[in-house]
């Protein structure tokens, strides 16, 4: 279970937009030259150093997490319940404590990972909220990277939430994708949902790409079924 691949970086999910507005006519053209702000080499180096320190801190946490005294619980019953009525062709494989579900539609496909980690014997030196947020971000990055050819500019919506973990914590992060190459449009959806309760961290994380918008909608409904079954 401890040989799970650790990703070194997460993809940032950012909503961006741009547009050009032209005046109805141009009576006179004026050229204005604006000097670009200069950034000293020292300031640039300091910013890069801060980013590097944060990445090292994050990678260290993930390594410590999988090297701590954790164990995986069976999630087959959860998968069976959540997948009832699913319209996609599915295939489930279990390895390293993770249930991996492959989904195939007429115009696209995707995957869902389901896992439950028992932290009751873990010796992690972090509070529960820190673990929930960082592991959630880790898995979201791992999952969204499965959508080949998709970059942060292709996300048309994004959301991230972490609730209080005094007694039960909930993490949710998702993004919708729309990308066109002039001939076809790809519609995608990726989501990570995690609940931390009674020292058990349950995670459902999936991604899907299709040329059919309705298949993306069907996939998001499957993820909704998992959220209901996990609770929180």
């Amino acid at each position: 279970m401890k040989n799970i691949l650790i990703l070194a970086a997460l993809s940032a999910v950012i909503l961006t937009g741009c547009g050009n507005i032209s005046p109805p006519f141009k009576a006179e053209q004026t050229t204005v030259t604006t000097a670009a702000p200069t950034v000293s080499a020292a300031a640039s180096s300091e910013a890069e150093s801060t980013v590097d320190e944060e990445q090292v801190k994050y990678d260290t946490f993930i390594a410590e997490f999988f090297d701590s005294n954790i164990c995986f619980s069976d999630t087959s019953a959860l998968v069976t319940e959540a997948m009832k009525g699913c319209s996609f062709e599915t295939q489930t494989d279990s390895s390293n404590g993770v249930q991996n579900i492959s989904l195939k539609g007429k115009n696209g496909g995707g995957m869902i990972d389901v896992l439950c980690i028992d932290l009751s014997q873990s010796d992690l030196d972090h509070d529960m909220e820190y673990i929930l947020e960082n592991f959630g971000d880790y898995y979201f990055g791992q999952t969204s990277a499965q959508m080949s050819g998709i970059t942060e500019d292709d996300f048309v919506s994004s959301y991230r939430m972490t609730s209080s973990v005094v007694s039960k914590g909930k993490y949710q992060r998702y993004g919708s994708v729309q990308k066109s190459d002039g001939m076809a449009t790809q519609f995608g959806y990726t989501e990570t949902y995690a609940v931390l309760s009674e020292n058990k961290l349950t995670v459902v994380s999936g991604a899907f790409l299709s040329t059919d918008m309705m298949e993306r909608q069907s996939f998001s409904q499957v993820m909704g079924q998992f959220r209901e079954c996990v609770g929180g």
Side-chain angles (χ1 to χ4, degrees):
M1 70 181 69
K2 298 181 182 177
N3 60 350
I4 298 178
L5 177 63
I6 299 173
L7 295 185
L10 297 180
S11 301
V13 183
I14 305 173
L15 177 62
T16 61
C18 60
N20 295 318
I21 301 175
S22 300
F25 63 90
K26 181 164 61 175
E28 180 181 355
Q29 182 173 347
T30 302
T31 301
V32 179
T33 302
T34 303
T38 59
V39 179
S40 68
S44 177
S45 177
E46 182 178 354
E48 291 179 1
S49 177
T50 300
V51 172
D52 290 342
E53 288 178 3
E54 287 298 316
Q55 188 61 54
V56 169
K57 180 180 177 181
Y58 174 78
D59 292 343
T60 300
F61 162 75
I62 294 301
E64 289 177 349
F65 183 91
F66 284 115
D67 197 41
S68 64
N69 191 18
I70 61 174
C71 62
F72 289 80
S73 301
D74 181 40
T75 57
S76 56
L78 168 62
V79 170
T80 300
E81 181 65 25
M83 294 297 291
K84 286 181 179 178
C86 176
S87 60
F88 296 108
E89 294 181 21
T90 63
Q91 183 175 347
T92 302
D93 176 62
S94 180
S95 62
N96 294 322
V98 180
Q99 293 268 355
N100 180 267
I101 309 163
S102 299
L103 302 97
K104 183 179 179 181
K106 292 182 178 180
N107 300 286
M111 49 71 64
I112 300 175
D113 280 349
V114 185
L115 57 152
C116 181
I117 303 173
D118 189 342
L119 302 173
S120 59
Q121 303 300 315
S122 172
D123 54 358
L124 286 169
D125 188 23
H126 301 287
D127 59 43
M128 292 294 103
E129 187 167 3
Y130 184 92
I131 293 172
L132 181 64
E133 287 185 350
N134 283 274
F135 192 79
D137 283 344
Y138 157 74
Y139 228 95
F140 181 83
Q142 187 178 57
T143 301
S144 59
Q146 307 248 354
M147 295 190 292
S148 179
I150 299 300
T151 69
E152 62 185 41
D153 292 331
D154 302 317
F155 282 83
V156 294
S157 67
S158 63
Y159 174 83
R160 183 183 185 279
M161 178 276 300
T162 304
S163 69
S164 172
V165 292
V166 174
S167 58
K168 178 183 291 187
K170 180 169 61 176
Y171 170 100
Q172 184 182 23
R173 183 171 178 179
Y174 61 77
S176 295
V177 170
Q178 185 167 325
K179 180 179 182 179
S180 177
D181 60 5
M183 298 181 64
T185 301
Q186 285 186 305
F187 302 94
Y189 182 77
T190 181
E191 177 179 350
T192 298
Y193 182 77
V195 172
L196 180 56
S197 178
E198 298 178 350
N199 284 319
K200 284 193 175 183
L201 176 62
T202 304
V203 181
V204 179
S205 193
F208 193 92
L209 270 178
S210 175
T211 55
D212 185 345
M213 184 187 297
M214 295 307 297
E215 285 191 346
R216 177 178 70 178
Q217 180 64 23
S218 296
F219 178 76
S220 66
Q221 291 173 354
V222 172
M223 293 300 295
Q225 285 292 109
F226 271 103
R227 290 196 303 270
E228 289 185 11
C229 291
V230 173

